[in-house]
Amino acid sequence: MPRAGLCSCWGGQVLPLLLVYICYLLLGATVFQLLEKRAEAQSRDQFQLEKLRFLENYTCLDQQALEKFVQVILEAWVKGVNPKGNSTNPSNWDFGSSFFFAGTVVTTIGYGNLAPSTEAGQVFCVFYALMGIPLNVVFLNHLGTGLRAHLTTLDRWEDHSRHSQLLQVLGLALFLTLGTLVILIFPPMFFSHVEGWSFREGFYFAFITLSTIGFGDYVVGTDPSKHYIAVYRSLAAIWILLGLAWLAVALSLGSLLLHRCSQLWLLIRGLDPKDGAAPDSDPRPQKITISA
């Protein structure tokens, strides 16, 4: 019997989801290949052409010396050192940048443009993440579920008048809209202004960050030609934490808003939200006596 139940569960639920999951990955792979492969080939050809031009202009260098210099640049980039600029570039490990890095660790964003290079730093990062990631998950879960529990334990929805129910739905929708503007619209505008990005690039950075994907192609506070304020990256880390918290709340409140809208729609149509039937003359639940 347990084996039959396992097979039934696999065939009825897991297998269709697995097929959808694989098809979704295949679709993504196909689209990304069509969009990005040609651009990658053009960039590679352009880079090789620039190296040849460099060797033609500086005949004192040979191919081997140039490749060695490129390797030095790549190693510096992997260690978080921007090849542009000079030794006066801001440190990647001042307190503000370190706070930003700590935030990317516990939120699992991991841009990839900066990582500890010392043995002690790598060991500490492992144990720090082991404690910080669960702490971050617990905090976000409790924040979202706690707020929803507070809202759903207010006065009973059915006890309010139709006008009051409509005002509650509009208020919840307004709260979600304003929060989205504060977290997902205004910060990309600010980052775009400071970093010299377009709004599309700023919004792309915000989405990739708050979704914890963290490609690392756009990271704030890394341009050596710009003079950032000392707390710029710390403020960005605080925005990340607030943004993740807001997403946890928004997902919870979004489902609540959809549920309340469906209830209100049924009430407007004169149906009982519990079963879709016409309500009795007295909307309050009736006590049913069950005899022994």
Side-chain angles (χ1 to χ4, degrees):
M1 292 295 293
R3 184 176 180 180
L6 180 62
C7 294
S8 177
C9 177
W10 174 264
Q13 298 179 4
V14 179
L15 185 58
L17 287 177
L18 177 62
L19 293 176
V20 171
Y21 185 70
I22 293 176
C23 290
Y24 193 74
L25 292 178
L26 293 175
L27 174 64
T30 303
V31 173
F32 284 128
Q33 181 183 26
L34 293 175
L35 295 177
E36 300 295 334
K37 188 175 182 179
R38 179 177 298 179
E40 180 201 28
Q42 293 176 350
S43 298
R44 183 184 294 112
D45 294 341
Q46 182 66 26
F47 178 66
Q48 296 298 329
L49 182 60
E50 291 296 331
K51 287 200 299 184
L52 292 176
R53 289 176 179 174
F54 185 83
L55 290 174
E56 291 176 356
N57 293 331
Y58 299 92
T59 55
C60 58
L61 292 175
D62 57 11
Q63 181 73 22
Q64 185 177 0
L66 179 60
E67 294 296 338
K68 185 177 181 180
F69 181 65
V70 171
Q71 183 63 31
V72 171
I73 294 177
L74 290 176
E75 290 177 358
W77 179 261
V78 169
K79 293 181 179 180
V81 179
N82 197 317
K84 297 192 297 183
N86 50 43
S87 59
T88 62
N89 291 344
S91 171
N92 287 318
W93 294 106
D94 56 16
F95 182 79
S97 298
S98 299
F99 183 79
F100 180 80
F101 175 76
T104 63
V105 171
V106 300
T107 56
T108 69
I109 294 175
Y111 288 115
N113 68 313
L114 184 64
S117 58
T118 63
E119 181 178 348
Q122 293 172 351
V123 172
F124 175 74
C125 185
V126 170
F127 289 98
Y128 184 76
L130 285 176
M131 297 293 294
I133 293 174
L135 177 62
N136 180 69
V137 172
V138 170
F139 166 71
L140 295 179
N141 286 339
H142 275 70
L143 183 64
T145 57
L147 181 57
R148 170 161 182 165
H150 173 71
L151 292 176
T152 54
T153 54
L154 296 177
D155 294 338
R156 286 175 53 84
W157 171 262
E158 296 82 0
D159 293 338
H160 290 278
S161 64
R162 191 76 52 81
H163 179 71
S164 178
Q165 292 173 349
L166 180 60
L167 289 180
Q168 287 188 29
V169 170
L170 293 178
L172 189 57
L174 180 62
F175 176 73
L176 290 173
T177 302
L178 292 178
T180 302
L181 288 175
V182 172
I183 297 298
L184 291 178
I185 302 300
F186 293 152
M189 295 174 63
F190 174 74
F191 292 137
S192 300
H193 174 72
V194 174
E195 301 290 342
W197 299 337
S198 64
F199 178 76
R200 174 188 59 81
E201 292 172 316
F203 186 82
Y204 170 80
F205 161 76
F207 178 81
I208 294 299
T209 295
L210 296 183
S211 60
T212 70
I213 297 174
F215 288 127
D217 49 351
Y218 288 88
V219 183
V220 296
T222 57
D223 190 345
S225 64
K226 296 184 179 298
H227 299 283
Y228 303 102
I229 60 176
V231 296
Y232 177 62
R233 300 194 80 183
S234 297
L235 293 176
I238 294 174
W239 164 75
I240 292 174
L241 296 177
L242 292 177
L244 292 175
W246 166 251
L247 288 180
V249 172
L251 291 176
S252 180
L253 294 184
S255 61
L256 176 62
L257 177 62
L258 292 177
H259 179 64
R260 290 288 170 84
C261 287
S262 63
Q263 284 185 316
L264 186 59
W265 172 249
L266 290 175
L267 289 173
I268 292 176
R269 295 181 59 191
L271 300 176
D272 189 346
K274 294 183 179 180
D275 54 14
D280 298 331
S281 57
D282 186 2
R284 296 182 179 275
Q286 302 295 325
K287 294 183 178 180
I288 301 176
T289 303
I290 302 178
S291 58

